[in-house]
Amino acid sequence: IQIDYCFLDEEQDPKNKKHPVLTMVCAKSWSIGACKVRVKGAQDEYAVVYILAFIRQLGWTSVILRTDGESSMTQLVQKVSEKRAPLQTVPEATPKGSKGSLGYVEGARPMIEGQFRTMLARLRDRYPEVEITLDDGIVEWLVRHCAMLLSAFQVGADGRTPVQRITGKPYNATMYEFGECGDFKAPPVAAQGKADARGGCSVWVGKSQIDNANLVLTEKGCIKCRTVQKVDETRRFDKDLFLSV
């Protein structure tokens, strides 16, 4: 698995702020992962958790994590290795100045950036009255969803998608438009009372890496659920609900 950082920015941003995105590609399946992080390195626990989930969905027990050897990346890989123990994780740093040593992840970078620009523009069109910037939390969900779409539907020269190379079959789960509002049905919880609400309004932000459950945002945070019911067009892109979550 090759891992590197890329950066998102916007010309209209007066501060010209760079937003780091951790990108990774499995060299065997061409499966792509990406997550927007707050800081580079192991200080961002979300980056560690995301890499662990990415490896788990691939099904590998022993992996090589190839990076450019930058100190922040070395610390991140070390943390991942510790979390995966006793499973084998082999850190591998590319030689300095060696072009092409991270060719898979370098090739995936423009695909992720292009997918992100397209979907961000679409999201802004759906919510024209909402100012969506790269600092907003919804962008973190959008970045990881873009990578998931590429893994699920990008067809390679062999006529297969990354998901097909891993599972042997096409991805056929029900999908919704990113940022779309819907009524979710939450899974039962042991401590939940019979009178407690088990569903409600939500904003769909993608699929879980591990079990393919829907990820929806509610006023109480992110919830994994199996069922999301579509709503009529007047509620499908509800500005008030979008802002509330």
Side-chain angles (χ1 to χ4, degrees), residues 11-83:
E11 292 182 0
Q12 61 266 38
D13 182 0
K15 298 180 181 179
N16 194 29
K17 184 177 179 181
K18 304 289 185 181
H19 300 262
V21 172
L22 186 67
T23 58
M24 59 208 75
V25 178
C26 169
K28 189 169 184 179
S29 67
W30 248 100
S31 184
I32 298 173
C35 67
K36 183 173 177 285
V37 296
R38 291 170 175 78
V39 293
K40 295 170 65 176
Q43 297 95 323
D44 193 329
E45 187 64 26
Y46 174 54
V48 177
V49 172
Y50 185 87
I51 295 175
L52 291 171
F54 182 75
I55 296 172
R56 183 179 170 189
Q57 73 166 344
L58 295 174
W60 311 134
T61 54
S62 298
V63 295
I64 298 173
L65 300 183
R66 178 182 291 183
T67 70
D68 59 5
E70 182 182 318
S71 60
S72 61
M73 188 63 79
T74 300
Q75 294 168 11
L76 178 59
V77 169
Q78 178 61 35
K79 189 70 172 291
V80 171
S81 299
E82 293 171 358
K83 293 284 188 179

Side-chain angles (χ1 to χ4, degrees), residues 184-189 192-200:
F184 74 93
K185 183 178 180 181
V189 179
Q192 191 175 39
K194 291 184 178 180
D196 293 339
R198 298 182 181 178

Side-chain angles (χ1 to χ4, degrees), residues 86-143:
L87 298 177
Q88 184 180 39
T89 306
V90 180
E92 183 177 279
T94 61
K96 288 186 178 181
S98 175
K99 292 185 178 180
S101 297
L102 293 173
Y104 285 97
V105 75
E106 289 172 359
R109 188 179 301 150
M111 292 193 293
I112 294 170
E113 292 170 349
Q115 184 78 19
F116 175 78
R117 286 193 299 269
T118 300
M119 295 198 66
L120 179 61
R122 180 64 170 173
L123 185 64
R124 285 169 170 167
D125 285 343
R126 289 300 198 181
Y127 293 98
E129 298 178 7
V130 180
E131 183 180 0
I132 303 173
T133 72
L134 297 187
D135 285 310
D136 293 332
I138 193 71
V139 171
E140 296 182 16
W141 294 103
L142 181 57
V143 168

Side-chain angles (χ1 to χ4, degrees), residues 29 31 148 151-153 161-171:
S29 67
S31 184
M148 178 268 165
S151 293
F153 302 110
T161 66
V163 167
Q164 280 179 281
R165 297 187 192 107
I166 296 170
T167 66
K169 55 186 178 181
Y171 187 84

